[in-house]
Amino acid sequence: MFNTLRLQIRFLVPLILTLTAAAYLAQPLLDSLTLRWFSRDLTMRGALVTSAMSDSLAAALESGGKARIQVLFAHAVQDERLLSLGLCSLQGVLLQRSAAYPANVSCAQAQLIAARDVPSLDLESGRVHVSVHPVLQDGAHPADLVLMQDFSFVDRRSQDTRKYLIAFMAALGVVIALITVIVAQLSWRGWVSGARALLRGEGLITPLIGNQRELAPLAADFRDRLRDLEDTYRRSLDRDDHWDPDRLRALLRSQLRGDELIVVSNREPYIHENSDAGVVCHRPASGLVTAVEPVMRACSGTWIAHGGGDADKSVVDGHDRVMVPPGRDEYTLRRIWLTPQEEKGYYYGFANEGLWPLCHVAHVRPVFREADWEMYRRINERFAEAVVTEARSDDPVVLVQDYHFALLPALIRKRLPRATIITFWHIPWPNPESFSICPWRAELLEGLLGSTIVGFHTRYHCKNFLETVDRNLEARIEHEHSTITVNKQTTLVESYPISIAWPDDAERATWPSVSDCRHAVRARLGLPDGHKLAVGVDRFDYTKGILERIHALERLLEKQPQWIGQLSLLQVAAPSRSELEEYKAFQLRIHQLTDRVNSRFDQPDYQAVYLLDRHHDSDAVNELYRAADVCVVTSLHDGMNLVSKEFIAARDDEQGVMILSRFAGAAAELKEALIVNPYHVEEGADALQRALTMPVAEQSERMSNLRATVRDDNVYRWAGRMLADAARWRLRERIDARMQTPSDKS
Ligand code: ADQ
């Protein structure tokens, strides 16, 4: 308001001054013009007076009646504007003059003055107009009449005109200025609302211009160009080089300006459990935790998760919070408590008997129960409340993790409309046909579309998601920009391949050497150092292809019996979801298969398969990777698979071969691995043979390329790309909010 006023004053004052100056400059021109007009009038008047007097004057001249002429003159000058008269002979002799006629103005002088453009003469009494007219009668011209009329009124009028002109010009200036300002204001408002509408994507340019429909393609084009620029910028960032914790922190500070980070996941990053030695804390076997924990340590903030450890309650404060990692206190863990019944419905039931098999093509039927769905909704609500409680501002950055919280983004959006919500789906997204099995598919999609960004590991999963939304909701989908708009809420759907934190020099310095690891692992199994080991590290889950892996080993031992007694598969399987029948049956089946294969290739001090179905700490897992000749990942379907990346990071000796399922998201990045179809047992056996016989030089070549990929595409890049996209989105929303008028907001 104040700015507008200042703008108007700045515009108004110079305009008025300019017009006043123009009035001053125009005055002389106007004076000379009006002088000529008046002069012409007086000359004409003089001609009329002369014409009226001509007969009488001619008669008086003829009769020599000077007195008669005087009477005529006296009679004529009774008109106050006619000051004096003089009668001149044709020879220029002043024959008669009225009383006021100046004696020093001869007939010749009068003729000269009368011949001027403006025939005026300044006398003591004032300015007079001089005109000379022939006295005519019956074609004869006996004399000339000199008339002197009052001309002083011209000066008076000129002064008046000047006053009025200046006042008029000043008033005109004010009027023009006001009109201009009003028009400018209206145009500006029109432009602003047009721009606002453009940003909102409504295609309106300006009410002043009017025809919205004609301008809509132009507005859409403008928006597209903006998005293209943004996409190009994003891609240029993707090619960017090194990402580490410092860079991630810097990005948070610079682009999100210290905005707070809240992570929500079902699995907690640290579990406190009672043991004989008291309360112990350990990290769960979870790809999500492996990836997100280093990000959280870099950024700090709050991680909200289910407190599942039997000693979890004993270490939290009055607000169910505990600082972690233990002893380093880098971020807050806020625990949510679930009853066994809630866990059964929400976690085991809807999430793991419904959504997990729904999203993985592993030929296990999803089970959807109404009661599980109700519990899933209720627990999503509970976590939404916790997000609101933990948020210190009304626009936090919330990272929602995984399929346990499909409803959470919309629930948070309802409570914190300005929050930036990034939802990352760690598992595959199925095609629309598979997804349509779910009775609550629309609700799940609507829930997810409360997010600012929905992230998947691969473009393929993004494509499936876009198609699923297209099939199930009334939504505007822009495939070229990968966005979905439902009820004015736009969500970016993007692929962010997850990864691990690349170990730094300090961490690597603590690792035992590869030969020590080889020796230690083999010694524990009673095997010689030269014994070949293929290693599998997984949660004990039917999607991980453990069965297919053992079949491939069995086939190899059939085809290449020289390996019997020389080669074993060491499979570590962290117990997972063992409460579920499907998992129990699967785990039992793997034990039975292991027993069968082991008895088939039985030899003293030798097992073809060593199955260690227990949790290992991260050092133990790293030791296994370094001890392995081959790492086998044969997932039937996997969002990414971090075991493959961990194995590569562990092999700083650049030895060891990676066998990787083509159905794991990681296969798109780890091209130098031996890529296999896990369902094809023969192919699996051949890949094992190839890996075991691969020359050292080839191993080194492949491994160094794999290492470069995982080092560059590390988890800080994963988080950095998402947060940078979120930051751009926030900026756009802030600009949009600034453009909103109160009526827009209401
Ligand atoms: P997960 O299905 O858990 O992850 P994955 O990515 O392989 O699968 O991660 C497993 C993690 O658990 C690894 O860090 C591994 O070291 C650890 N682990 C496995 N067995 C263990 C054991 N016995 N003892 C200790 N630790 C063990 C989900 C998706 C994946 C996706 C991740 C991350 O299913 O596709 O890669 O999230 O997004």
Side-chain angles (χ1 to χ4, degrees), residues 65-357:
K66 286 189 177 181
R68 172 82 184 131
I69 292 172
Q70 279 304 329
V71 172
L72 282 172
F73 279 6
H75 192 69
V77 293
Q78 279 178 357
D79 182 333
E80 59 179 15
R81 280 170 298 171
L82 185 57
L83 299 177
S84 61
L85 294 160
L87 190 66
C88 297
S89 70
L90 295 181
Q91 292 73 39
V93 178
L94 186 63
L95 302 173
Q96 279 287 323
R97 61 185 175 93
S98 66
Y101 188 94
N104 55 349
V105 178
S106 66
C107 290
Q109 276 174 319
Q111 288 282 4
L112 279 174
I113 294 168
R116 290 184 201 152
D117 257 2
V118 181
S120 67
L121 178 67
D122 287 322
L123 299 175
E124 269 177 31
S125 55
R127 200 164 177 206
V128 295
H129 176 268
V130 179
S131 62
V132 180
H133 306 274
V135 177
L136 298 170
Q137 195 204 21
D138 302 334
H141 175 194
D144 289 318
L145 185 64
V146 180
L147 287 94
M148 292 192 180
Q149 301 178 69
D150 180 16
F151 213 30
S152 60
F153 72 94
V154 175
D155 290 333
R156 280 199 310 277
R157 282 194 192 166
S158 171
Q159 276 168 15
D160 287 349
T161 311
R162 181 174 303 173
K163 266 190 255 160
Y164 289 130
L165 186 70
I166 289 170
F168 172 75
M169 289 299 232
L172 188 69
V174 173
V175 171
I176 291 176
L178 286 177
I179 289 173
T180 312
V181 167
I182 288 165
V183 170
Q185 285 249 339
L186 287 176
S187 316
W188 168 250
R189 279 201 188 134
W191 188 89
V192 168
S193 58
R196 232 182 253 136
L198 270 180
L199 285 179
R200 282 198 304 269
E202 289 164 5
L204 175 69
I205 290 281
T206 160
L208 288 182
I209 297 172
N211 198 340
Q212 301 176 21
R213 225 174 271 150
E214 276 174 24
L215 292 166
L218 206 76
D221 199 40
F222 178 59
R223 276 204 315 278
D224 287 351
R225 293 287 77 77
L226 275 178
R227 292 272 184 77
D228 287 346
L229 281 174
E230 211 174 283
D231 289 350
T232 313
Y233 175 65
R234 268 216 327 259
R235 265 177 245 123
S236 76
L237 262 190
D238 290 353
R239 281 192 297 275
D240 226 2
D241 47 22
H242 185 63
W243 277 91
D244 60 16
D246 289 339
R247 178 149 180 212
L248 193 62
R249 268 192 292 271
L251 177 127
L252 261 184
R253 272 198 305 272
S254 62
Q255 295 201 31
L256 290 162
R257 276 188 300 246
D259 288 322
E260 60 170 322
L261 207 60
I262 298 176
V263 167
V264 188
S265 74
N266 173 72
R267 178 68 65 227
E268 55 182 342
Y270 292 92
I271 303 179
H272 289 89
E273 278 179 330
N274 291 308
S275 74
D276 296 341
V279 173
V280 291
C281 181
H282 69 87
R283 289 257 304 268
S286 153
L288 183 157
V289 169
T290 303
V292 180
E293 216 268 335
V295 172
M296 203 57 186
R297 285 174 61 180
C299 302
S300 79
T302 303
W303 187 325
I304 303 171
H306 166 217
D310 60 14
D312 274 354
K313 277 194 178 152
S314 65
V315 296
V316 295
D317 65 13
H319 301 283
D320 300 326
R321 296 180 191 133
V322 58
M323 292 301 288
V324 287
R328 283 207 290 265
D329 295 2
E330 286 167 343
Y331 62 91
T332 306
L333 172 59
R334 159 76 198 276
R335 284 174 167 149
I336 304 287
W337 315 114
L338 303 179
T339 64
Q341 199 196 359
E342 286 171 338
E343 203 180 349
K344 184 167 177 284
Y346 138 81
Y347 175 73
Y348 289 112
F350 195 78
N352 285 315
E353 284 192 290
L355 291 179
W356 178 266

Side-chain angles (χ1 to χ4, degrees), residues 283-288 290-291 356 360 402 424 426-428 457 498 537-539 543-544 572-575 577 612 614-618 621 625 638-644 646:
R283 289 257 304 268
S286 153
L288 183 157
T290 303
W356 178 266
H360 288 90
D402 230 356
F424 194 79
H426 289 259
I427 62 178
H457 294 297
I498 209 165
V537 177
D538 302 86
R539 280 187 307 98
T543 61
K544 298 296 180 183
V572 297
R577 306 169 196 167
L612 309 180
R614 60 174 183 272
H615 186 271
H616 287 55
D617 67 28
S618 57
V621 172
Y625 291 142
D638 219 334
M640 173 55 70
N641 188 281
L642 292 182
V643 168
S644 55
E646 288 172 346

Side-chain angles (χ1 to χ4, degrees), residues 479-525:
H479 287 278
E480 64 279 29
H481 301 299
S482 205
T483 56
I484 300 172
T485 307
V486 177
N487 298 332
K488 292 192 178 169
Q489 158 75 39
T490 300
T491 302
L492 173 69
V493 179
E494 191 52 91
S495 62
Y496 305 96
I498 209 165
S499 194
I500 55 162
W502 187 254
D504 59 18
D505 293 345
E507 186 184 342
R508 278 210 309 276
T510 65
W511 292 351
S513 70
V514 166
S515 60
D516 285 352
C517 292
R518 283 185 72 89
H519 175 75
V521 170
R522 284 168 182 75
R524 278 201 297 275
L525 300 173

Side-chain angles (χ1 to χ4, degrees), residues 672-693:
E672 292 81 6
L674 299 182
I675 307 291
V676 295
N677 173 359
Y679 290 96
H680 194 178
V681 174
E682 209 67 29
E683 197 179 308
D686 292 348
L688 274 171
Q689 170 68 10
R690 191 163 167 215
L692 293 164
T693 56

